[in-house]
Amino acid sequence: MTTQMIIALGITIFMIVLIMIDKLPFGSVPLLACLLLVIFGIADIKAAFAGFSNSTIIMLAEFMAIIAALQKTSFIAAFKRTMFNMADKGGFKAFLLLILIVMLGCSLFGTGSTAYYVMVIGLLSTLPYSKKLPPSKVVMTAGFAANHPLLPFNTALQYGIVIAVLGSAGLTANVSVAKFAVVNFILSMGFLFNCVIQYKLLPDHDIKATEDAKQVQASTEGSSLTKTQEYITYIVFVIAVVGMLLQSYIGDAGYAIAGLSVAVILISGVMDFNEIRNSISAPIILMSAGVIGVADALGATGLTDLVGATVAGMLGTSVNPFILILVFCILTSVLATLTGSTIGTVYIFAPLAIATCSNMGLDPTAAACAIVISGWCGHFLPIDGMPAMVMGVGNYSIWEFCKFTVPQYFIRLLFLTAGALIMFPM
């Protein structure tokens, strides 16, 4: 290893440790790491902070604003009421239907939507205790269901990242949107399978409603938008999603379409400038943009290729592709869980996996798809936003929590790896 490789690796480890101990504001640590890269001569200012002009980050920021606008519509209010009424019916059928409804809603919002899981878990926190369907069985399963789309048509963010990481490795991305959606669907079926087999094992106790429970329940009453504003919101949402899905065909215009959608939301009065500014400058944007600069620096020093060649040498040329992809998925999801930076972690491990596959003479498409998706497949420990909220609202002990989440974690990754290899044979 060269001196630059060692310094870049040291800065990366330093960044990860600071994120894990959570002593600095969320999103600030990667910015510090970028400054250290410049100070130690690993990258110049332009390269270190290139993440802020990265197309994926631009897309994420745009969709943060669009999803915030969608939250104001009567359709979402009706969705909330349906979910609440379903939980009142009780029984296994209601349990399963409730999970499916939440997964259907995730299809609209997309995987990893903070606004959506906060809404779902907040609403579930208002459920009264019923022996037919204890709220402790619902919060755990339906809470995590907010991260698993039943109809994965809104995979623009993940799809864009797959195209980006393959392109950054100098490879022509040949990833079908339909096939990528099927991989996500197979993952969701793995999640649903785990919910079904663990139904009787889930704890049976009451939960303590959150302080915002009444506000969440009141939000089911209706929309503050006019009919015209609602229709505008629906239209721009669809246009933005279509633009992202067509990005591989129309280039950067796909990202610009989403940006124009945000402009329409502003002009029509659906959201004011302050609301949009708060959405597009959320801490997760700073976190993700900063980590991309660090990941790029690792690649520029040659460390990514070195690790790829080393891993390939350790595994040998006869390693089973399933094991190869599964190992990288575990590494990615574990680090994403520990750091809380999903996109940043994906940008670190995806290039490593692609380099490993290339060194072994394998098509890296399946690995890229699985690893990108795996970034959203952690949540086996209550140290990130969604799992921490699930554990707190559901009033679970750490044993009750892990008894469900650890099997869920491995089952989902097994389904994900299998789905990626089925759709994109190596």
Side-chain angles (χ1 to χ4, degrees), residues 52 56-69 258-259 261-263 265-266 271-289:
F52 288 91
T56 301
I57 300 303
I58 300 298
M59 175 176 62
L60 176 61
E62 292 166 345
F63 268 86
M64 290 284 284
I66 294 170
I67 293 300
S261 297
V262 178
I265 288 173
L266 173 64
M271 296 175 67
D272 60 34
F273 179 75
N274 288 334
E275 291 175 308
I276 293 176
R277 182 193 60 194
N278 291 337
S279 295
I280 65 177
S281 61
I284 186 62
I285 303 297
L286 299 178
M287 172 70 79
S288 301

Side-chain angles (χ1 to χ4, degrees), residues 351-365:
L352 295 177
I354 291 171
T356 301
C357 290
S358 298
N359 276 282
M360 297 175 65
L362 299 173
D363 184 345
T365 304

Side-chain angles (χ1 to χ4, degrees), residues 5 14 47 52 63 104 126 140 159 190 227 266 327 377-378 401 408 415 424:
M5 289 181 186
F14 177 67
F52 288 91
F63 268 86
L104 187 62
T126 67
M140 184 84 81
Y159 181 75
K227 285 294 181 184
L266 173 64
V327 168
C377 290
F401 181 86
Q408 169 187 261
F415 272 70
F424 305 99

Side-chain angles (χ1 to χ4, degrees), residues 12 43 55 66 77 79 83 85 88 91 150-151 209 258 261 280 285 287 291 315 319 368 370 379 391 396-397 415:
T12 303
S55 57
I66 294 170
F79 173 78
M83 185 174 67
N85 293 334
D88 282 340
L150 183 62
L151 302 173
S261 297
I280 65 177
I285 303 297
M287 172 70 79
V291 173
L315 294 174
V319 65
H379 301 156
M391 183 173 175
Y396 303 108
S397 67
F415 272 70

Side-chain angles (χ1 to χ4, degrees), residues 22 50 54 68 75 83 90 92 97 103-104 119 152 177 181 219 230 232 242 244 278 281 324 343 383 405 420:
D22 197 25
N54 182 277
F75 174 81
M83 185 174 67
F92 177 75
L97 286 175
M103 293 174 71
L104 187 62
M119 178 191 77
V177 173
S219 69
E230 282 203 37
I232 289 174
V242 171
M244 290 300 98
N278 291 337
S281 61
L324 174 65
I343 296 177
I383 58 175
T405 59

Side-chain angles (χ1 to χ4, degrees), residues 227-277:
K227 285 294 181 184
T228 300
Q229 288 175 324
E230 282 203 37
Y231 292 142
I232 289 174
T233 303
Y234 299 143
I235 291 171
V236 298
F237 172 75
V238 172
I239 291 175
V241 170
V242 171
M244 290 300 98
L245 294 178
L246 293 177
Q247 187 274 331
S248 60
Y249 302 101
I250 62 178
D252 288 346
Y255 302 116
I257 289 173
L260 289 175
S261 297
V262 178
V264 172
I265 288 173
L266 173 64
I267 295 170
S268 61
V270 174
M271 296 175 67
D272 60 34
F273 179 75
N274 288 334
E275 291 175 308
I276 293 176
R277 182 193 60 194

